[in-house]
Amino acid sequence: MLDIFKELSNRVIVFDGAMGTQLQDRGLKTGECPEYMNITHPEVVFDIHRSYIEAGADVIETNTFGANRIKLAKYGLENEVFNIVTQAVKIAKKASKDKPVALSIGPIGELLTPYGDMTFDEAYDVFKEVVIAAERAGADIVLIETMSDMLEAKAAILAAKENSSMKVICTMTFQEDGRTLMGSDPITVVVSLQGLGLDAIGVNCSTGPDKMVSVVEKMSQVSRIPIIAQPNAGMPVIRDGKTVYDLKPEEFASFFPSLVEKGASIVGGCCGTTPQYIKLVKEAVKNLKPKVKVNKFTAVASNTKTVFIGHDYSLRVIGERINPTGKKKLSEAFLAGDVGLAVEEGIKQQKCGAEILDVNVGVPGVNEEELLPKVVSEIQNVVDLPLQIDSTNIKAVEKAIRILRGRPIINSVSAKEESLKEVLPIVKKYGACVVGLTVGDKGLPKDRHERIENAKKIIKKAEEYGIPKEDILIDCIVLTVSSEQEAAIETLEAIKLAKEELGVNTVVGLSNVSFGLPERRLINSTFLAMASSYGLTTAIINPCDEAMMDTLRASMVLLNKDKGSVNYLNIYGKKQKEEVKEKEQQKIQEEDLKTKFYIQILEGKKSGVEDIVKNILDEEVQPLSIVDNIIIPALKEVGDRYEKGIYFLPQLLSSAEVVQNAFRIIKEKLPKGSVSKGKIILATVEGDVHDIGKNIVKVLLENYGYDVIDLGKDVKGEVILEEVKRTGAPLVGLSALMTTTLFNMEKIIKLLKANTDVKIMVGGAVLTEEYAYKIGADYYGKTAQDAVKIADKFFLKNALLCKTCGI
């Protein structure tokens, strides 16, 4: 059988094209399960596969995109996963003529916690069931595609890696702003996911090949594995009353040399493509050779941000404050299972300038395996920084990393044999960076040379596991100068040797140096400046220590790492005004509960919000004024930050959750229904089982004060019409993610318009504004935040009309 990954050194590999539209053309009716065609009409599925093989596809994908128990439950087929997947693989293998068969795995269609009800482990089990069935049936590759959430993609990747021997590929889908639905950019996606053991990574769906070129180019800057690109046949348009795509096969194929030039070595088609498209793509790339590129870099990532570490960058600050050692309040909070203080500390450190956060929950009596993942989950939902997972409990470390969006640092592995055997397999499995603590079996190193020898041992062992030295931060160990004054210079010289002899990045926990001495900040900041000049690339410090941060920023200017002094001028040019403003805000916040509540909404901090609202209500005569004067303005600012690209979907949803918790308290003081700004019906149209977008819109609308009637997914037009008549809701929101269901959206709009005066807003990844208005929609919302704006505008207009006419 063809080994496509060996072939990549010589030529571009071509995957097949769309399945859904081909099934429709061959008789699949609206509302029928596409994957069940494997059972009822295997000859139709076989014919589609054969047509792609004849067109020149090197790999064909099984008809299993939605063959998971969550999506199949809509059709009453949740117990048929094994049969459907097995049959799909058998049909594909029969049609493939010994070419590889890729198991297609699409999204589950549910939001993962904390934004939805599905846990990571539940998602993992859903994917695991599909993978095991395909492995037994003889599939060769797992293709995880059209993912919008890196955490869901991670669950699918781990399910494939841990339950099969198949090669694994993952593709994400990006919006027009170049980010996924959850806010991840192409570089962050690759940095975060490629280390999980993927054989290729890339992008599919959402756009045509022209707009996909820039995504592939960004991915190629950091990818250490092959890149796959599977664009749509352009964007959907209406021609002669039928939904088609705007790129003809010839035009579609013309963009593929550019995709290959920018870094793609595996290509194929997604929505709207046919065997004719694939035939011309094959022709377009047949004489092209993939670009072999070896990217060497050190980087960590959050859900939405990548931080590069190295000698070409400014020294990176790892915030040390989420650590209960010597902190009574934090220790007590962790013992009580309360993560609120840790979240607050994370937010504070980010404001002070931390670029990475160290997270440690090590208190005697705490169950780290339960608490560490909880703290990590809560922090990453409101703080947009990569995390360093800090624990000697490797089981707790793995559980925390497993549910983490992004790429973390593990703190740490030592040169001791036991530590190397325990920690490095976890580093490799999850593709993390790791702190290499230069402590060996003999204990603390005596001098610089022993530190370097221990570092070499760590690097060598890591390379045996397949971990490149770029992913190791060598900790040269800082000892206190009050007892060992010569220790400081030994650490500095070790940092220098690590840079010059080993070519690795370095990190130190800096505050140890001054222990036992007066004016510790003076010693700490001076040592930081010295360590920077010796080549230190990362420091674990308190970012809210102004003396330390002032010294660091000045050092970066003097060492020519803050080019043009941009960062320095940015901070100190405005510092005086900002300090005055900050002190005023802090004073207000301490005195004013309303301001504190406002800030909690803005920052997405859930801890203690109910008590704050209760205290405000004790003082407030009109509970609704809390909604009008605090909640609505705060959510407006959150929305403004979202539109400016300062916030992304996770922050939006976290702020919405704060408001949701507050509303529970406020509603107790209000007459039933008095808080509602209006009724809105939401539904995903008939034939479409995707409702992630609709669910996000629901959360935001509810927390902006609207009464949302959620009819769910795959909803018939007659059901929506009946609900409009029953409730009198003046506004309906319709969603569609699949191009094959756009026609149903148009039919539903016509039905509602013919029988009611209801206004309709529409949204979904496959929709454009032009298309939305062509099919009769009144409003088009590109994002969930747009839906809120539409609702606000619509109900305000109606209210003004009512006042004018005297109703």
Side-chain angles (χ1 to χ4, degrees):
M1 180 177 291
L2 176 73
D3 186 335
I4 64 168
F5 297 99
K6 286 184 179 178
E7 285 288 311
L8 286 174
S9 59
N10 301 312
R11 66 185 181 92
V12 177
I13 295 297
V14 178
F15 274 52
D16 61 10
M19 172 61 73
T21 46
Q22 292 290 290
L23 288 172
Q24 272 198 327
D25 289 345
R26 288 165 169 80
L28 177 68
K29 295 177 182 176
T30 299
E32 289 184 338
C33 175
E35 291 77 21
Y36 202 50
M37 293 280 280
N38 296 320
I39 306 295
T40 59
H41 295 86
E43 72 286 351
V44 172
V45 180
F46 176 85
D47 184 54
I48 294 170
H49 288 324
R50 289 290 297 151
S51 64
Y52 279 120
I53 289 292
E54 289 167 2
D58 298 306
V59 181
I60 56 172
E61 302 169 36
T62 57
N63 177 32
T64 53
F65 182 81
N68 64 71
R69 63 173 178 258
I70 303 299
K71 284 186 176 177
L72 291 177
K74 179 65 183 177
Y75 308 100
L77 298 170
E78 61 269 30
N79 296 321
E80 293 295 320
V81 173
F82 184 84
N83 291 334
I84 289 172
V85 173
T86 299
Q87 183 68 0
V89 174
K90 286 181 178 179
I91 296 168
K93 287 181 74 68
K94 184 179 176 183
S96 70
K97 287 188 174 179
D98 289 329
K99 289 187 177 180
V101 168
L103 168 71
S104 171
I105 292 183
I108 293 170
E110 302 282 347
L111 285 171
L112 270 62
T113 53
Y115 314 118
D117 297 325
M118 178 162 284
T119 67
F120 179 89
D121 288 340
E122 287 169 344
Y124 175 91
D125 287 340
V126 169
F127 292 125
K128 176 182 175 180
E129 185 178 17
V130 178
V131 168
I132 289 174
E135 170 93 331
R136 291 178 183 175
D140 307 294
I141 299 167
V142 177
L143 176 61
I144 299 156
E145 54 184 339
T146 325
M147 288 289 169
S148 297
D149 181 357
M150 285 202 296
L151 191 58
E152 184 179 9
K154 188 174 186 177
I157 294 165
L158 290 173
K161 295 296 294 182
E162 293 174 354
N163 296 283
S164 83
S165 58
M166 292 182 280
K167 300 286 188 179
V168 183
I169 298 172
C170 180
T171 58
M172 303 290 289
T173 184
F174 295 85
Q175 303 176 116
E176 282 189 27
D177 64 357
R179 291 181 178 268
T180 68
L181 180 67
M182 297 302 287
S184 306
D185 62 89
I187 287 175
T188 297
V189 163
V190 176
V191 167
S192 300
L193 297 181
Q194 67 178 342
L196 292 170
L198 287 176
D199 296 281
I201 193 167
V203 51
N204 80 301
C205 205
S206 297
T207 68
D210 50 341
K211 294 178 181 177
M212 197 171 278
V213 170
S214 62
V215 174
V216 169
E217 184 176 19
K218 288 173 184 174
M219 286 185 156
S220 71
Q221 294 171 17
V222 291
S223 183
R224 296 169 177 171
I225 55 178
I227 296 173
I228 178 172
Q230 294 180 291
N232 292 341
M235 297 302 290
V237 295
I238 297 176
R239 287 185 188 146
D240 302 323
K242 191 176 179 182
T243 302
V244 296
Y245 282 84
D246 62 1
L247 289 184
K248 293 181 179 178
E250 294 79 9
E251 190 178 0
F252 177 81
S254 70
F255 291 100
F256 278 76
S258 293
L259 283 168
V260 174
E261 170 67 23
K262 296 301 181 184
S265 54
I266 305 172
V267 297
C270 203
C271 301
T273 57
T274 68
Q276 179 62 16
Y277 282 77
I278 300 305
K279 182 179 179 180
L280 293 178
V281 168
K282 181 80 171 185
E283 184 68 23
V285 301
K286 71 177 182 181
N287 295 321
L288 301 179
K289 230 181 170 183
K291 287 190 170 183
V292 179
K293 194 174 179 183
V294 179
N295 289 301
K296 292 186 177 183
F297 59 88
T298 303
V300 289
S302 64
N303 182 57
T304 57
K305 181 185 295 181
T306 296
V307 174
F308 289 93
I309 299 168
H311 300 289
D312 294 331
Y313 303 96
S314 291
L315 187 148
R316 301 306 189 188
V317 173
I318 302 177
E320 68 180 5
R321 299 293 298 168
I322 306 175
N323 187 322
T325 304
K327 301 182 185 73
K328 185 179 178 183
K329 286 186 178 180
L330 189 58
S331 296
E332 290 173 348
F334 284 159
L335 283 167
D338 181 5
V339 305
L341 278 178
V343 172
E344 286 182 21
E345 194 60 68
I347 293 170
K348 183 180 177 182
Q349 289 183 98
Q350 182 174 28
K351 287 180 179 178
C352 288
E355 294 161 290
I356 302 163
L357 295 180
D358 184 85
V359 181
N360 184 312
V361 300
V363 179
V366 160
N367 185 336
E368 284 195 62
E369 293 178 36
E370 289 184 4
L371 186 61
L372 188 57
K374 183 180 177 182
V375 172
V376 164
S377 179
E378 290 293 331
I379 289 173
Q380 70 173 358
N381 292 333
V382 296
V383 179
D384 186 26
L385 295 179
L387 302 182
Q388 176 169 281
I389 311 303
D390 187 356
S391 175
T392 56
N393 184 330
I394 197 63
K395 289 183 179 179
V397 169
E398 180 169 13
K399 286 186 176 182
I401 289 178
R402 200 169 175 85
I403 55 88
L404 181 146
R405 287 181 172 91
R407 187 190 199 210
I409 303 171
I410 294 175
N411 188 12
S412 58
V413 64
S414 73
K416 296 178 180 179
E417 287 296 334
E418 185 180 350
S419 177
L420 293 167
K421 290 177 181 178
E422 185 180 50
V423 178
L424 291 181
I426 302 301
V427 176
K428 174 60 179 175
K429 179 178 179 179
Y430 294 96
C433 285
V434 65
V435 171
L437 189 66
T438 53
V439 174
D441 293 316
K442 296 178 183 178
L444 287 172
K446 296 174 183 176
D447 55 29
R448 69 196 76 170
H449 303 294
E450 191 172 343
R451 285 172 168 84
I452 294 303
E453 287 306 309
N454 287 335
K456 287 178 180 177
K457 184 177 179 181
I458 294 169
I459 294 167
K460 182 181 178 183
K461 199 67 178 178
E463 287 175 342
E464 290 175 12
Y465 280 95
I467 302 165
K469 68 179 182 180
E470 289 81 25
D471 293 344
I472 303 169
L473 306 176
I474 293 298
D475 186 342
C476 294
I477 302 178
V478 174
L479 301 175
T480 177
V481 295
S482 62
S483 59
E484 298 180 62
Q485 194 165 352
E486 72 282 357
I489 195 66
E490 290 298 331
T491 298
L492 294 173
E493 290 294 344
I495 290 169
K496 185 177 180 181
L497 289 173
K499 174 185 177 182
E500 295 177 353
E501 289 188 13
L502 305 182
V504 294
N505 289 300
T506 48
V507 61
V508 292
L510 195 134
S511 58
N512 288 340
V513 72
S514 62
F515 187 79
L517 292 173
E519 294 295 332
R520 293 186 64 186
R521 294 170 67 190
L522 180 59
I523 296 287
N524 290 345
S525 58
T526 303
F527 185 72
L528 177 61
M530 295 174 71
S532 300
S533 68
Y534 274 75
L536 184 69
T537 54
T538 323
I540 305 171
I541 62 174
N542 176 7
C544 298
D545 183 329
E546 290 188 17
M548 292 278 280
M549 296 302 287
D550 288 345
T551 299
L552 173 62
R553 290 163 187 148
S555 297
M556 293 304 100
V557 172
L558 297 172
L559 292 170
N560 194 31
K561 290 191 175 182
D562 181 4
K563 301 295 182 182
S565 306
V566 172
N567 187 52
Y568 186 88
L569 292 171
N570 224 11
I571 291 169
Y572 297 101
K574 305 173 183 176
K575 189 169 183 182
Q576 190 173 0
K577 290 181 181 178
E578 287 179 352
E579 283 178 347
V580 171
K581 185 179 178 183
E582 190 177 329
K583 285 176 183 177
E584 288 175 353
Q585 287 179 340
Q586 188 175 353
K587 187 178 178 183
I588 292 170
Q589 187 175 348
E590 288 171 355
E591 296 175 355
D592 188 355
L593 284 171
K594 295 177 185 178
T595 303
K596 193 169 183 179
F597 179 36
Y598 183 98
I599 292 170
Q600 287 216 209
I601 295 171
L602 204 63
E603 296 179 343
K605 288 179 0 188
K606 291 175 288 197
S607 179
V609 71
E610 292 93 343
D611 290 336
I612 292 173
V613 173
K614 284 177 183 177
N615 289 331
I616 295 172
L617 285 169
D618 287 341
E619 303 171 0
E620 187 64 59
V621 179
Q622 297 292 333
L624 270 178
S625 69
I626 298 176
V627 178
D628 295 333
N629 299 326
I630 304 175
I631 291 176
I632 298 302
L635 286 175
K636 183 181 182 303
E637 185 169 348
V638 170
D640 290 343
R641 292 186 180 195
Y642 176 76
E643 288 187 349
K644 292 174 182 176
I646 299 168
Y647 276 8
F648 301 101
L649 188 59
Q651 288 94 337
L652 258 181
L653 294 176
S654 292
S655 293
E657 196 173 352
V658 173
V659 172
Q660 193 172 44
N661 292 345
F663 262 123
R664 293 192 190 104
I665 308 301
I666 294 170
K667 285 179 180 178
E668 292 174 4
K669 301 282 186 179
L670 293 169
K672 191 175 180 181
S674 61
V675 78
S676 176
K677 291 165 67 177
K679 289 181 182 177
I680 303 173
I681 293 172
L682 295 182
T684 301
V685 301
E686 182 181 4
D688 204 319
V689 294
H690 302 84
D691 63 353
I692 286 181
K694 184 261 298 173
N695 290 343
I696 293 168
V697 170
K698 176 187 176 184
V699 170
L700 288 183
L701 286 172
E702 285 181 337
N703 290 291
Y704 272 80
Y706 292 101
D707 181 11
V708 177
I709 302 160
D710 183 5
L711 299 182
K713 54 193 174 186
D714 192 13
V715 184
K716 293 181 181 293
E718 291 76 14
V719 173
I720 300 171
L721 176 61
E722 184 180 337
E723 194 66 14
V724 170
K725 290 179 177 179
R726 186 185 73 80
T727 63
L731 183 63
V732 170
L734 300 177
S735 172
L737 186 68
M738 300 164 63
T739 53
T740 53
T741 56
L742 287 177
F743 180 66
N744 291 335
M745 181 179 275
E746 183 180 9
K747 284 201 310 182
I748 291 170
I749 291 172
K750 286 180 179 177
L751 177 68
L752 294 175
K753 293 282 187 181
N755 293 280
T756 69
D757 294 326
V758 73
K759 297 297 180 182
I760 300 165
M761 62 177 175
V762 298
V766 294
L767 277 170
T768 62
E769 187 171 12
E770 180 185 5
Y771 190 96
Y773 293 133
K774 273 189 178 180
I775 61 177
D778 299 291
Y779 306 102
Y780 165 73
K782 188 174 180 182
T783 68
Q785 190 65 25
D786 287 341
V788 174
K789 286 184 176 180
I790 291 166
D792 284 346
K793 192 174 182 180
F794 171 79
F795 283 100
L796 176 62
K797 182 179 178 183
N798 275 12
L800 291 173
L801 285 173
C802 286
K803 286 181 181 178
T804 303
C805 64
I807 295 175

